[in-house]
Amino acid sequence: MKVIKHSEQVLKTALISKNTQLVKLYENLESREKCLLNEAFQPDSVLFRPITLHSESDWISSHPEPTQDFEQFYNDPYRSRPTSRKSAIYVQPIGSFGDTKVSTEDYMKWLKDYCEAFYYGLSVKILEPVPVSHTGCAFRVNEYTCNLQIHAEDLLKYLKKKKPEDAFCIVGITMIDLYPRASWNFVFGLASLTEGMGIFSFARYDSDFYSASYKGRLKSVKKLPSADYSVFDGYYTPAINSMLLLRSCKTLTHEIGHIFGLHHCQWLQCVMQGSNHLEESDRRPLDLCPICLRKLQSAIGFHIVERYQALLRWMDEDGSGMDAEFRNEAKMGLLKPVEAFKECREWVLKCLDVLQK
């Protein structure tokens, strides 16, 4: 295992900058906010730890890219900025989600509410789910994994036509695997940052995806008729459990972060770290490191304590303290499963402790 450990001065400069104007901006932050953000360069911080690489296949090892500090983010002339007229995040569900216990509506509401807490101050709007046939996209059966896949580039063209006037961005999400072109095996997602669009699949976040018993495998891998979308009728979608919800929240906020102009984080453990595989993605924390948090705060303008309070409220909405009717709903699986968020919740409480001292 390799640890990427930056010096205190390097992290301090990445967070605050040496630019006089940006230093002044930092000094004008609330004192408790600075206490939390300063954890970035505290060698013994228990809140923000160095990145660890576990194999040569991890993202940083296999995809060398330049770092992005706060100053580079702040001065980037090409990054998208929310405005009073274009501030909504739109989510377009494509295909089926959920199972007999959890409906598409339940799952979308959980993602919407989480995204609104993460991007605190912006509204998130869920568009009416559409079947794959409405997008007119190409599709195929993957010759190696024998599962259905839909064409990511075609889906971006569809989203461009659907993007509302007040949208900061529009992102499509699906439980069906994606491919960007015929020569590629698959892709987790694809985005057009300049146009504020992205399409992302949660298919491979199903714990059974790579197993021989995966229910999404088709018995036949013959070439499918290009206009016959009936193959998607009743196609398998995984049960929405706590781990899948956690992975979905991470992926959605990570990818929308790119649309805001945040690059892959190489400073500290952070949800904006790149990931090459599921095991590496699972190692990423749920939230941002201080450097990326300052970037997002400068883009949206939230109070950090209010954002953490919103995240905590979302995690606490698990049915505890509800009346009998709602507890019965929880047993039926209608309230969101937050068991996998336990460590994240404890971490948020520690951050709030710093912010509210």
Side-chain angles (χ1 to χ4, degrees), residues 21-44:
Q21 178 195 0
L22 298 186
V23 171
K24 188 172 182 179
L25 276 179
Y26 191 79
E27 290 172 348
N28 289 338
L29 294 175
E30 297 172 7
S31 61
R32 298 317 306 172
E33 289 187 335
K34 285 184 287 187
C35 282
L36 180 72
L37 295 174
N38 286 348
E39 287 283 323
F41 51 85
Q42 303 303 321
D44 56 349

mmCIF file with all atom_site columns, all heavy atoms in Angstrom, residues 21-44:
data_model
loop_
_atom_site.group_PDB
_atom_site.id
_atom_site.type_symbol
_atom_site.label_atom_id
_atom_site.label_alt_id
_atom_site.label_comp_id
_atom_site.label_asym_id
_atom_site.label_entity_id
_atom_site.label_seq_id
_atom_site.pdbx_PDB_ins_code
_atom_site.Cartn_x
_atom_site.Cartn_y
_atom_site.Cartn_z
_atom_site.occupancy
_atom_site.B_iso_or_equiv
_atom_site.pdbx_formal_charge
_atom_site.auth_seq_id
_atom_site.auth_comp_id
_atom_site.auth_asym_id
_atom_site.auth_atom_id
_atom_site.pdbx_PDB_model_num
ATOM 1   N N   . GLN A 1 21 ? -5.695  38.266 -2.887 1.00 0.00 ? 21 GLN A N   1
ATOM 2   C CA  . GLN A 1 21 ? -7.150  38.356 -2.938 1.00 0.00 ? 21 GLN A CA  1
ATOM 3   C C   . GLN A 1 21 ? -7.807  37.104 -2.369 1.00 0.00 ? 21 GLN A C   1
ATOM 4   O O   . GLN A 1 21 ? -8.772  37.182 -1.600 1.00 0.00 ? 21 GLN A O   1
ATOM 5   C CB  . GLN A 1 21 ? -7.610  38.571 -4.387 1.00 0.00 ? 21 GLN A CB  1
ATOM 6   C CG  . GLN A 1 21 ? -9.129  38.618 -4.543 1.00 0.00 ? 21 GLN A CG  1
ATOM 7   C CD  . GLN A 1 21 ? -9.573  38.473 -5.995 1.00 0.00 ? 21 GLN A CD  1
ATOM 8   O OE1 . GLN A 1 21 ? -8.753  38.339 -6.886 1.00 0.00 ? 21 GLN A OE1 1
ATOM 9   N NE2 . GLN A 1 21 ? -10.877 38.465 -6.207 1.00 0.00 ? 21 GLN A NE2 1
ATOM 10  N N   . LEU A 1 22 ? -7.268  35.932 -2.743 1.00 0.00 ? 22 LEU A N   1
ATOM 11  C CA  . LEU A 1 22 ? -7.871  34.683 -2.285 1.00 0.00 ? 22 LEU A CA  1
ATOM 12  C C   . LEU A 1 22 ? -7.589  34.431 -0.806 1.00 0.00 ? 22 LEU A C   1
ATOM 13  O O   . LEU A 1 22 ? -8.420  33.848 -0.101 1.00 0.00 ? 22 LEU A O   1
ATOM 14  C CB  . LEU A 1 22 ? -7.372  33.520 -3.137 1.00 0.00 ? 22 LEU A CB  1
ATOM 15  C CG  . LEU A 1 22 ? -7.731  33.602 -4.631 1.00 0.00 ? 22 LEU A CG  1
ATOM 16  C CD1 . LEU A 1 22 ? -7.322  32.334 -5.357 1.00 0.00 ? 22 LEU A CD1 1
ATOM 17  C CD2 . LEU A 1 22 ? -9.225  33.858 -4.820 1.00 0.00 ? 22 LEU A CD2 1
ATOM 18  N N   . VAL A 1 23 ? -6.425  34.878 -0.343 1.00 0.00 ? 23 VAL A N   1
ATOM 19  C CA  . VAL A 1 23 ? -6.127  34.793 1.098  1.00 0.00 ? 23 VAL A CA  1
ATOM 20  C C   . VAL A 1 23 ? -7.127  35.633 1.886  1.00 0.00 ? 23 VAL A C   1
ATOM 21  O O   . VAL A 1 23 ? -7.650  35.216 2.927  1.00 0.00 ? 23 VAL A O   1
ATOM 22  C CB  . VAL A 1 23 ? -4.683  35.248 1.392  1.00 0.00 ? 23 VAL A CB  1
ATOM 23  C CG1 . VAL A 1 23 ? -4.458  35.380 2.893  1.00 0.00 ? 23 VAL A CG1 1
ATOM 24  C CG2 . VAL A 1 23 ? -3.675  34.260 0.790  1.00 0.00 ? 23 VAL A CG2 1
ATOM 25  N N   . LYS A 1 24 ? -7.439  36.807 1.366  1.00 0.00 ? 24 LYS A N   1
ATOM 26  C CA  . LYS A 1 24 ? -8.395  37.686 2.040  1.00 0.00 ? 24 LYS A CA  1
ATOM 27  C C   . LYS A 1 24 ? -9.790  37.053 2.063  1.00 0.00 ? 24 LYS A C   1
ATOM 28  O O   . LYS A 1 24 ? -10.512 37.138 3.058  1.00 0.00 ? 24 LYS A O   1
ATOM 29  C CB  . LYS A 1 24 ? -8.440  39.039 1.337  1.00 0.00 ? 24 LYS A CB  1
ATOM 30  C CG  . LYS A 1 24 ? -9.254  40.084 2.088  1.00 0.00 ? 24 LYS A CG  1
ATOM 31  C CD  . LYS A 1 24 ? -9.121  41.461 1.457  1.00 0.00 ? 24 LYS A CD  1
ATOM 32  C CE  . LYS A 1 24 ? -9.913  42.499 2.264  1.00 0.00 ? 24 LYS A CE  1
ATOM 33  N NZ  . LYS A 1 24 ? -9.781  43.863 1.671  1.00 0.00 ? 24 LYS A NZ  1
ATOM 34  N N   . LEU A 1 25 ? -10.161 36.422 0.944  1.00 0.00 ? 25 LEU A N   1
ATOM 35  C CA  . LEU A 1 25 ? -11.446 35.716 0.905  1.00 0.00 ? 25 LEU A CA  1
ATOM 36  C C   . LEU A 1 25 ? -11.509 34.657 2.003  1.00 0.00 ? 25 LEU A C   1
ATOM 37  O O   . LEU A 1 25 ? -12.534 34.485 2.658  1.00 0.00 ? 25 LEU A O   1
ATOM 38  C CB  . LEU A 1 25 ? -11.644 35.048 -0.459 1.00 0.00 ? 25 LEU A CB  1
ATOM 39  C CG  . LEU A 1 25 ? -12.194 35.879 -1.607 1.00 0.00 ? 25 LEU A CG  1
ATOM 40  C CD1 . LEU A 1 25 ? -12.292 35.024 -2.870 1.00 0.00 ? 25 LEU A CD1 1
ATOM 41  C CD2 . LEU A 1 25 ? -13.561 36.454 -1.259 1.00 0.00 ? 25 LEU A CD2 1
ATOM 42  N N   . TYR A 1 26 ? -10.399 33.952 2.168  1.00 0.00 ? 26 TYR A N   1
ATOM 43  C CA  . TYR A 1 26 ? -10.354 32.902 3.195  1.00 0.00 ? 26 TYR A CA  1
ATOM 44  C C   . TYR A 1 26 ? -10.456 33.507 4.588  1.00 0.00 ? 26 TYR A C   1
ATOM 45  O O   . TYR A 1 26 ? -11.168 32.989 5.449  1.00 0.00 ? 26 TYR A O   1
ATOM 46  C CB  . TYR A 1 26 ? -9.065  32.087 3.060  1.00 0.00 ? 26 TYR A CB  1
ATOM 47  C CG  . TYR A 1 26 ? -9.063  30.837 3.913  1.00 0.00 ? 26 TYR A CG  1
ATOM 48  C CD1 . TYR A 1 26 ? -9.749  29.703 3.495  1.00 0.00 ? 26 TYR A CD1 1
ATOM 49  C CD2 . TYR A 1 26 ? -8.373  30.783 5.126  1.00 0.00 ? 26 TYR A CD2 1
ATOM 50  C CE1 . TYR A 1 26 ? -9.766  28.555 4.265  1.00 0.00 ? 26 TYR A CE1 1
ATOM 51  C CE2 . TYR A 1 26 ? -8.383  29.645 5.900  1.00 0.00 ? 26 TYR A CE2 1
ATOM 52  C CZ  . TYR A 1 26 ? -9.077  28.534 5.463  1.00 0.00 ? 26 TYR A CZ  1
ATOM 53  O OH  . TYR A 1 26 ? -9.094  27.396 6.239  1.00 0.00 ? 26 TYR A OH  1
ATOM 54  N N   . GLU A 1 27 ? -9.748  34.597 4.810  1.00 0.00 ? 27 GLU A N   1
ATOM 55  C CA  . GLU A 1 27 ? -9.769  35.240 6.127  1.00 0.00 ? 27 GLU A CA  1
ATOM 56  C C   . GLU A 1 27 ? -11.166 35.753 6.484  1.00 0.00 ? 27 GLU A C   1
ATOM 57  O O   . GLU A 1 27 ? -11.509 35.862 7.659  1.00 0.00 ? 27 GLU A O   1
ATOM 58  C CB  . GLU A 1 27 ? -8.766  36.393 6.159  1.00 0.00 ? 27 GLU A CB  1
ATOM 59  C CG  . GLU A 1 27 ? -7.308  35.919 6.144  1.00 0.00 ? 27 GLU A CG  1
ATOM 60  C CD  . GLU A 1 27 ? -6.324  37.060 5.979  1.00 0.00 ? 27 GLU A CD  1
ATOM 61  O OE1 . GLU A 1 27 ? -6.762  38.196 5.638  1.00 0.00 ? 27 GLU A OE1 1
ATOM 62  O OE2 . GLU A 1 27 ? -5.112  36.831 6.177  1.00 0.00 ? 27 GLU A OE2 1
ATOM 63  N N   . ASN A 1 28 ? -11.984 36.043 5.483  1.00 0.00 ? 28 ASN A N   1
ATOM 64  C CA  . ASN A 1 28 ? -13.332 36.540 5.722  1.00 0.00 ? 28 ASN A CA  1
ATOM 65  C C   . ASN A 1 28 ? -14.347 35.444 6.038  1.00 0.00 ? 28 ASN A C   1
ATOM 66  O O   . ASN A 1 28 ? -15.500 35.739 6.371  1.00 0.00 ? 28 ASN A O   1
ATOM 67  C CB  . ASN A 1 28 ? -13.831 37.339 4.509  1.00 0.00 ? 28 ASN A CB  1
ATOM 68  C CG  . ASN A 1 28 ? -13.123 38.676 4.366  1.00 0.00 ? 28 ASN A CG  1
ATOM 69  O OD1 . ASN A 1 28 ? -12.564 39.202 5.333  1.00 0.00 ? 28 ASN A OD1 1
ATOM 70  N ND2 . ASN A 1 28 ? -13.115 39.220 3.158  1.00 0.00 ? 28 ASN A ND2 1
ATOM 71  N N   . LEU A 1 29 ? -13.929 34.188 5.931  1.00 0.00 ? 29 LEU A N   1
ATOM 72  C CA  . LEU A 1 29 ? -14.828 33.091 6.293  1.00 0.00 ? 29 LEU A CA  1
ATOM 73  C C   . LEU A 1 29 ? -15.086 33.103 7.796  1.00 0.00 ? 29 LEU A C   1
ATOM 74  O O   . LEU A 1 29 ? -14.306 33.655 8.582  1.00 0.00 ? 29 LEU A O   1
ATOM 75  C CB  . LEU A 1 29 ? -14.215 31.736 5.892  1.00 0.00 ? 29 LEU A CB  1
ATOM 76  C CG  . LEU A 1 29 ? -14.048 31.456 4.398  1.00 0.00 ? 29 LEU A CG  1
ATOM 77  C CD1 . LEU A 1 29 ? -13.323 30.140 4.195  1.00 0.00 ? 29 LEU A CD1 1
ATOM 78  C CD2 . LEU A 1 29 ? -15.392 31.437 3.684  1.00 0.00 ? 29 LEU A CD2 1
ATOM 79  N N   . GLU A 1 30 ? -16.189 32.482 8.208  1.00 0.00 ? 30 GLU A N   1
ATOM 80  C CA  . GLU A 1 30 ? -16.490 32.380 9.632  1.00 0.00 ? 30 GLU A CA  1
ATOM 81  C C   . GLU A 1 30 ? -15.374 31.613 10.343 1.00 0.00 ? 30 GLU A C   1
ATOM 82  O O   . GLU A 1 30 ? -14.790 30.680 9.792  1.00 0.00 ? 30 GLU A O   1
ATOM 83  C CB  . GLU A 1 30 ? -17.829 31.665 9.835  1.00 0.00 ? 30 GLU A CB  1
ATOM 84  C CG  . GLU A 1 30 ? -19.008 32.418 9.235  1.00 0.00 ? 30 GLU A CG  1
ATOM 85  C CD  . GLU A 1 30 ? -20.300 31.609 9.284  1.00 0.00 ? 30 GLU A CD  1
ATOM 86  O OE1 . GLU A 1 30 ? -20.298 30.518 9.905  1.00 0.00 ? 30 GLU A OE1 1
ATOM 87  O OE2 . GLU A 1 30 ? -21.298 32.057 8.698  1.00 0.00 ? 30 GLU A OE2 1
ATOM 88  N N   . SER A 1 31 ? -15.096 31.993 11.567 1.00 0.00 ? 31 SER A N   1
ATOM 89  C CA  . SER A 1 31 ? -13.956 31.411 12.293 1.00 0.00 ? 31 SER A CA  1
ATOM 90  C C   . SER A 1 31 ? -14.081 29.900 12.453 1.00 0.00 ? 31 SER A C   1
ATOM 91  O O   . SER A 1 31 ? -13.101 29.166 12.317 1.00 0.00 ? 31 SER A O   1
ATOM 92  C CB  . SER A 1 31 ? -13.795 32.073 13.663 1.00 0.00 ? 31 SER A CB  1
ATOM 93  O OG  . SER A 1 31 ? -14.961 31.875 14.451 1.00 0.00 ? 31 SER A OG  1
ATOM 94  N N   . ARG A 1 32 ? -15.306 29.409 12.720 1.00 0.00 ? 32 ARG A N   1
ATOM 95  C CA  . ARG A 1 32 ? -15.480 27.970 12.906 1.00 0.00 ? 32 ARG A CA  1
ATOM 96  C C   . ARG A 1 32 ? -15.323 27.234 11.570 1.00 0.00 ? 32 ARG A C   1
ATOM 97  O O   . ARG A 1 32 ? -14.858 26.084 11.547 1.00 0.00 ? 32 ARG A O   1
ATOM 98  C CB  . ARG A 1 32 ? -16.851 27.664 13.510 1.00 0.00 ? 32 ARG A CB  1
ATOM 99  C CG  . ARG A 1 32 ? -17.113 28.253 14.892 1.00 0.00 ? 32 ARG A CG  1
ATOM 100 C CD  . ARG A 1 32 ? -15.950 28.126 15.850 1.00 0.00 ? 32 ARG A CD  1
ATOM 101 N NE  . ARG A 1 32 ? -15.444 26.758 16.013 1.00 0.00 ? 32 ARG A NE  1
ATOM 102 C CZ  . ARG A 1 32 ? -14.353 26.427 16.675 1.00 0.00 ? 32 ARG A CZ  1
ATOM 103 N NH1 . ARG A 1 32 ? -13.607 27.377 17.235 1.00 0.00 ? 32 ARG A NH1 1
ATOM 104 N NH2 . ARG A 1 32 ? -13.979 25.170 16.786 1.00 0.00 ? 32 ARG A NH2 1
ATOM 105 N N   . GLU A 1 33 ? -15.713 27.876 10.470 1.00 0.00 ? 33 GLU A N   1
ATOM 106 C CA  . GLU A 1 33 ? -15.491 27.261 9.161  1.00 0.00 ? 33 GLU A CA  1
ATOM 107 C C   . GLU A 1 33 ? -14.001 27.101 8.906  1.00 0.00 ? 33 GLU A C   1
ATOM 108 O O   . GLU A 1 33 ? -13.548 26.059 8.423  1.00 0.00 ? 33 GLU A O   1
ATOM 109 C CB  . GLU A 1 33 ? -16.134 28.106 8.059  1.00 0.00 ? 33 GLU A CB  1
ATOM 110 C CG  . GLU A 1 33 ? -17.655 28.061 8.046  1.00 0.00 ? 33 GLU A CG  1
ATOM 111 C CD  . GLU A 1 33 ? -18.273 28.767 6.857  1.00 0.00 ? 33 GLU A CD  1
ATOM 112 O OE1 . GLU A 1 33 ? -17.617 29.676 6.308  1.00 0.00 ? 33 GLU A OE1 1
ATOM 113 O OE2 . GLU A 1 33 ? -19.391 28.414 6.477  1.00 0.00 ? 33 GLU A OE2 1
ATOM 114 N N   . LYS A 1 34 ? -13.242 28.112 9.249  1.00 0.00 ? 34 LYS A N   1
ATOM 115 C CA  . LYS A 1 34 ? -11.785 28.030 9.053  1.00 0.00 ? 34 LYS A CA  1
ATOM 116 C C   . LYS A 1 34 ? -11.184 26.944 9.941  1.00 0.00 ? 34 LYS A C   1
ATOM 117 O O   . LYS A 1 34 ? -10.238 26.260 9.521  1.00 0.00 ? 34 LYS A O   1
ATOM 118 C CB  . LYS A 1 34 ? -11.132 29.385 9.332  1.00 0.00 ? 34 LYS A CB  1
ATOM 119 C CG  . LYS A 1 34 ? -11.370 30.407 8.209  1.00 0.00 ? 34 LYS A CG  1
ATOM 120 C CD  . LYS A 1 34 ? -10.633 31.711 8.440  1.00 0.00 ? 34 LYS A CD  1
ATOM 121 C CE  . LYS A 1 34 ? -11.271 32.540 9.534  1.00 0.00 ? 34 LYS A CE  1
ATOM 122 N NZ  . LYS A 1 34 ? -10.676 33.879 9.667  1.00 0.00 ? 34 LYS A NZ  1
ATOM 123 N N   . CYS A 1 35 ? -11.725 26.760 11.138 1.00 0.00 ? 35 CYS A N   1
ATOM 124 C CA  . CYS A 1 35 ? -11.227 25.694 12.024 1.00 0.00 ? 35 CYS A CA  1
ATOM 125 C C   . CYS A 1 35 ? -11.377 24.331 11.362 1.00 0.00 ? 35 CYS A C   1
ATOM 126 O O   . CYS A 1 35 ? -10.473 23.490 11.432 1.00 0.00 ? 35 CYS A O   1
ATOM 127 C CB  . CYS A 1 35 ? -11.982 25.713 13.353 1.00 0.00 ? 35 CYS A CB  1
ATOM 128 S SG  . CYS A 1 35 ? -11.445 27.009 14.480 1.00 0.00 ? 35 CYS A SG  1
ATOM 129 N N   . LEU A 1 36 ? -12.533 24.123 10.719 1.00 0.00 ? 36 LEU A N   1
ATOM 130 C CA  . LEU A 1 36 ? -12.749 22.835 10.050 1.00 0.00 ? 36 LEU A CA  1
ATOM 131 C C   . LEU A 1 36 ? -11.869 22.711 8.813  1.00 0.00 ? 36 LEU A C   1
ATOM 132 O O   . LEU A 1 36 ? -11.192 21.697 8.620  1.00 0.00 ? 36 LEU A O   1
ATOM 133 C CB  . LEU A 1 36 ? -14.214 22.673 9.654  1.00 0.00 ? 36 LEU A CB  1
ATOM 134 C CG  . LEU A 1 36 ? -14.522 21.349 8.946  1.00 0.00 ? 36 LEU A CG  1
ATOM 135 C CD1 . LEU A 1 36 ? -14.462 20.187 9.930  1.00 0.00 ? 36 LEU A CD1 1
ATOM 136 C CD2 . LEU A 1 36 ? -15.867 21.383 8.245  1.00 0.00 ? 36 LEU A CD2 1
ATOM 137 N N   . LEU A 1 37 ? -11.848 23.746 7.974  1.00 0.00 ? 37 LEU A N   1
ATOM 138 C CA  . LEU A 1 37 ? -11.063 23.690 6.741  1.00 0.00 ? 37 LEU A CA  1
ATOM 139 C C   . LEU A 1 37 ? -9.571  23.541 7.033  1.00 0.00 ? 37 LEU A C   1
ATOM 140 O O   . LEU A 1 37 ? -8.852  22.861 6.292  1.00 0.00 ? 37 LEU A O   1
ATOM 141 C CB  . LEU A 1 37 ? -11.328 24.936 5.894  1.00 0.00 ? 37 LEU A CB  1
ATOM 142 C CG  . LEU A 1 37 ? -12.755 25.093 5.350  1.00 0.00 ? 37 LEU A CG  1
ATOM 143 C CD1 . LEU A 1 37 ? -12.918 26.443 4.659  1.00 0.00 ? 37 LEU A CD1 1
ATOM 144 C CD2 . LEU A 1 37 ? -13.102 23.967 4.386  1.00 0.00 ? 37 LEU A CD2 1
ATOM 145 N N   . ASN A 1 38 ? -9.108  24.143 8.118  1.00 0.00 ? 38 ASN A N   1
ATOM 146 C CA  . ASN A 1 38 ? -7.691  24.051 8.476  1.00 0.00 ? 38 ASN A CA  1
ATOM 147 C C   . ASN A 1 38 ? -7.260  22.640 8.842  1.00 0.00 ? 38 ASN A C   1
ATOM 148 O O   . ASN A 1 38 ? -6.065  22.334 8.899  1.00 0.00 ? 38 ASN A O   1
ATOM 149 C CB  . ASN A 1 38 ? -7.368  24.992 9.639  1.00 0.00 ? 38 ASN A CB  1
ATOM 150 C CG  . ASN A 1 38 ? -7.335  26.447 9.211  1.00 0.00 ? 38 ASN A CG  1
ATOM 151 O OD1 . ASN A 1 38 ? -7.335  26.755 8.027  1.00 0.00 ? 38 ASN A OD1 1
ATOM 152 N ND2 . ASN A 1 38 ? -7.320  27.356 10.181 1.00 0.00 ? 38 ASN A ND2 1
ATOM 153 N N   . GLU A 1 39 ? -8.245  21.764 9.085  1.00 0.00 ? 39 GLU A N   1
ATOM 154 C CA  . GLU A 1 39 ? -7.919  20.352 9.341  1.00 0.00 ? 39 GLU A CA  1
ATOM 155 C C   . GLU A 1 39 ? -7.193  19.730 8.149  1.00 0.00 ? 39 GLU A C   1
ATOM 156 O O   . GLU A 1 39 ? -6.525  18.705 8.287  1.00 0.00 ? 39 GLU A O   1
ATOM 157 C CB  . GLU A 1 39 ? -9.192  19.563 9.644  1.00 0.00 ? 39 GLU A CB  1
ATOM 158 C CG  . GLU A 1 39 ? -9.808  19.830 11.006 1.00 0.00 ? 39 GLU A CG  1
ATOM 159 C CD  . GLU A 1 39 ? -9.063  19.124 12.123 1.00 0.00 ? 39 GLU A CD  1
ATOM 160 O OE1 . GLU A 1 39 ? -8.599  17.980 11.912 1.00 0.00 ? 39 GLU A OE1 1
ATOM 161 O OE2 . GLU A 1 39 ? -8.937  19.720 13.216 1.00 0.00 ? 39 GLU A OE2 1
ATOM 162 N N   . ALA A 1 40 ? -7.313  20.361 6.989  1.00 0.00 ? 40 ALA A N   1
ATOM 163 C CA  . ALA A 1 40 ? -6.660  19.841 5.781  1.00 0.00 ? 40 ALA A CA  1
ATOM 164 C C   . ALA A 1 40 ? -5.161  19.706 5.967  1.00 0.00 ? 40 ALA A C   1
ATOM 165 O O   . ALA A 1 40 ? -4.541  18.768 5.439  1.00 0.00 ? 40 ALA A O   1
ATOM 166 C CB  . ALA A 1 40 ? -6.958  20.752 4.589  1.00 0.00 ? 40 ALA A CB  1
ATOM 167 N N   . PHE A 1 41 ? -4.556  20.635 6.676  1.00 0.00 ? 41 PHE A N   1
ATOM 168 C CA  . PHE A 1 41 ? -3.095  20.602 6.803  1.00 0.00 ? 41 PHE A CA  1
ATOM 169 C C   . PHE A 1 41 ? -2.626  20.299 8.229  1.00 0.00 ? 41 PHE A C   1
ATOM 170 O O   . PHE A 1 41 ? -1.485  20.587 8.586  1.00 0.00 ? 41 PHE A O   1
ATOM 171 C CB  . PHE A 1 41 ? -2.466  21.905 6.278  1.00 0.00 ? 41 PHE A CB  1
ATOM 172 C CG  . PHE A 1 41 ? -3.050  23.181 6.841  1.00 0.00 ? 41 PHE A CG  1
ATOM 173 C CD1 . PHE A 1 41 ? -2.594  23.692 8.048  1.00 0.00 ? 41 PHE A CD1 1
ATOM 174 C CD2 . PHE A 1 41 ? -4.027  23.874 6.146  1.00 0.00 ? 41 PHE A CD2 1
ATOM 175 C CE1 . PHE A 1 41 ? -3.112  24.869 8.561  1.00 0.00 ? 41 PHE A CE1 1
ATOM 176 C CE2 . PHE A 1 41 ? -4.554  25.058 6.645  1.00 0.00 ? 41 PHE A CE2 1
ATOM 177 C CZ  . PHE A 1 41 ? -4.096  25.559 7.862  1.00 0.00 ? 41 PHE A CZ  1
ATOM 178 N N   . GLN A 1 42 ? -3.507  19.721 9.041  1.00 0.00 ? 42 GLN A N   1
ATOM 179 C CA  . GLN A 1 42 ? -3.101  19.256 10.373 1.00 0.00 ? 42 GLN A CA  1
ATOM 180 C C   . GLN A 1 42 ? -2.589  17.817 10.254 1.00 0.00 ? 42 GLN A C   1
ATOM 181 O O   . GLN A 1 42 ? -3.349  16.922 9.866  1.00 0.00 ? 42 GLN A O   1
ATOM 182 C CB  . GLN A 1 42 ? -4.270  19.323 11.356 1.00 0.00 ? 42 GLN A CB  1
ATOM 183 C CG  . GLN A 1 42 ? -4.904  20.705 11.495 1.00 0.00 ? 42 GLN A CG  1
ATOM 184 C CD  . GLN A 1 42 ? -3.901  21.770 11.902 1.00 0.00 ? 42 GLN A CD  1
ATOM 185 O OE1 . GLN A 1 42 ? -3.015  21.534 12.725 1.00 0.00 ? 42 GLN A OE1 1
ATOM 186 N NE2 . GLN A 1 42 ? -4.040  22.956 11.321 1.00 0.00 ? 42 GLN A NE2 1
ATOM 187 N N   . PRO A 1 43 ? -1.327  17.570 10.575 1.00 0.00 ? 43 PRO A N   1
ATOM 188 C CA  . PRO A 1 43 ? -0.751  16.227 10.382 1.00 0.00 ? 43 PRO A CA  1
ATOM 189 C C   . PRO A 1 43 ? -1.496  15.121 11.134 1.00 0.00 ? 43 PRO A C   1
ATOM 190 O O   . PRO A 1 43 ? -1.525  13.982 10.687 1.00 0.00 ? 43 PRO A O   1
ATOM 191 C CB  . PRO A 1 43 ? 0.686   16.371 10.907 1.00 0.00 ? 43 PRO A CB  1
ATOM 192 C CG  . PRO A 1 43 ? 0.958   17.840 10.875 1.00 0.00 ? 43 PRO A CG  1
ATOM 193 C CD  . PRO A 1 43 ? -0.344  18.521 11.123 1.00 0.00 ? 43 PRO A CD  1
ATOM 194 N N   . ASP A 1 44 ? -2.095  15.465 12.268 1.00 0.00 ? 44 ASP A N   1
ATOM 195 C CA  . ASP A 1 44 ? -2.752  14.446 13.096 1.00 0.00 ? 44 ASP A CA  1
ATOM 196 C C   . ASP A 1 44 ? -4.273  14.489 12.964 1.00 0.00 ? 44 ASP A C   1
ATOM 197 O O   . ASP A 1 44 ? -4.999  13.989 13.831 1.00 0.00 ? 44 ASP A O   1
ATOM 198 C CB  . ASP A 1 44 ? -2.354  14.620 14.563 1.00 0.00 ? 44 ASP A CB  1
ATOM 199 C CG  . ASP A 1 44 ? -2.669  16.030 15.087 1.00 0.00 ? 44 ASP A CG  1
ATOM 200 O OD1 . ASP A 1 44 ? -2.992  16.904 14.257 1.00 0.00 ? 44 ASP A OD1 1
ATOM 201 O OD2 . ASP A 1 44 ? -2.581  16.240 16.312 1.00 0.00 ? 44 ASP A OD2 1
#
